[in-house]
Amino acid sequence: QVQLVESGGGEVQTGGSLILSCAASGNTLRIGDMGYYRQAPGKQRELAAAINRGGYARYGDSVKGRFTISRDNYKISLQMNNLKPEDTAVYYCNADSPSDNMNYWGEGTRVSVSS
């Protein structure tokens, strides 16, 4: 099993910045990619950013150029700049385990951006 503990989030005005962090524990050797997905009210969960063990990052189209994900072993951070009201969502940390085809999720942290 893998446990994910999230920190960060909160409320900010348009144009502001926030940092989210997520640390994995447990069977961390199984972990491949880590990242953040987000879910806004009434919408499907979508990729914000993810990063593999080699440091290769990928981003959702709507956050490219504004969000930066980084990774140090089994801890990730998401730097979110120039935040917009449409970034308001619950952000979930995710880690996948390719060896046993498992996906692990954090409890979620809320980000609210006011105009």
Side-chain angles (χ1 to χ4, degrees):
Q1 288 289 329
V2 171
Q3 295 78 43
L4 300 174
V5 177
E6 301 160 320
S7 61
E11 296 183 6
V12 67
Q13 292 186 330
T14 297
S17 298
L18 287 172
I19 299 176
L20 305 182
S21 295
C22 175
S25 61
N27 290 331
T28 54
L29 291 179
R30 298 174 177 265
I31 293 174
D33 290 8
M34 294 184 70
Y36 276 96
Y37 288 73
R38 66 185 187 180
Q39 188 165 19
K43 294 188 177 182
Q44 289 188 330
R45 193 171 295 189
E46 64 176 8
L47 172 71
I51 187 167
N52 68 11
R53 295 178 73 162
Y56 176 80
R58 63 186 193 273
Y59 297 92
D61 288 341
S62 61
V63 308
K64 286 180 182 176
R66 300 186 297 120
F67 289 14
T68 302
I69 192 168
S70 59
R71 178 170 178 167
D72 180 7
N73 288 327
Y74 303 108
K75 180 178 179 179
I76 60 171
S77 294
L78 184 66
Q79 173 72 51
M80 305 185 292
N81 295 329
N82 191 21
L83 283 161
K84 304 176 181 181
E86 50 263 43
D87 295 317
T88 295
V90 177
Y91 285 69
Y92 295 92
C93 181
N94 171 266
D96 72 9
S97 174
S99 62
D100 54 6
N101 200 29
M102 292 289 291
N103 245 310
Y104 298 95
W105 295 94
E107 292 186 351
T109 186
R110 188 171 301 275
V111 170
S112 179
V113 185
S114 60
S115 57

